[in-house]
Amino acid sequence: MLQYLNRCSQGRGAWLLMALTALVLELVALYFQHVMLLKPCVMCIYERCALFGIMGAGLVGAIAPKTWLRYGAILIWIYSAWEGIRLSWEHTMIQLHPSPFATCDFAARFPSGLPLDKWLPSVFVATGDCAERSWTLFNLSMPQWLVGVFGVFMLIAVLVVIAQFVKTRRRELFAR
């Protein structure tokens, strides 16, 4: 399996699949926001940013998967998945244990050089409350599902890192 993951990490297909998966999750979030009219909170916006990081890692990895760029993409992937787990876990705790002392910010804080909320407000402006559970599936809220989603991204990333140290062997049609 590790040899398979090593081969996949050196091809564009797996990287593009990862980017496509993150894109689909982003589109689902936008569907919830603009069609179902659910209001995203600040934590939701930050979790979206983590998904954009995973999508970016997939695109960087797809550019030149047989070069050193692959390792940079893996680092972006791991960082984004880790931040996604951390943010969605924190968001889950705010929802499960609401408290007036544990709340999220009123507005997302982006660096002054990257004001995403100003550039693309329909995606990055928060209008909801972090403690509100506005959507559930099988009694799990959106941040609870995201803990699992980011956990899967992290598990695969760790396996891909381990696979980088496994030598691939070519299969010969006629072995001697």
Side-chain angles (χ1 to χ4, degrees), residues 38-107:
L38 300 179
K39 297 177 181 177
C41 66
V42 171
M43 296 300 286
C44 296
I45 300 300
Y46 292 153
E47 291 157 2
R48 283 184 189 180
C49 291
L51 272 175
F52 276 117
I54 289 174
M55 187 182 349
L59 295 175
V60 168
I63 290 171
K66 293 185 187 286
T67 66
W68 61 270
L69 273 178
R70 175 176 81 237
Y71 301 112
I74 291 171
L75 288 175
I76 296 168
W77 179 7
I78 289 173
Y79 176 74
S80 297
W82 176 258
E83 282 299 306
I85 291 170
R86 187 186 65 76
L87 290 164
S88 54
W89 181 259
E90 184 180 335
H91 191 180
T92 298
M93 291 300 107
I94 289 172
Q95 285 186 346
L96 293 178
H97 310 290
S99 165
F101 304 108
T103 61
C104 58
D105 295 334
F106 179 68

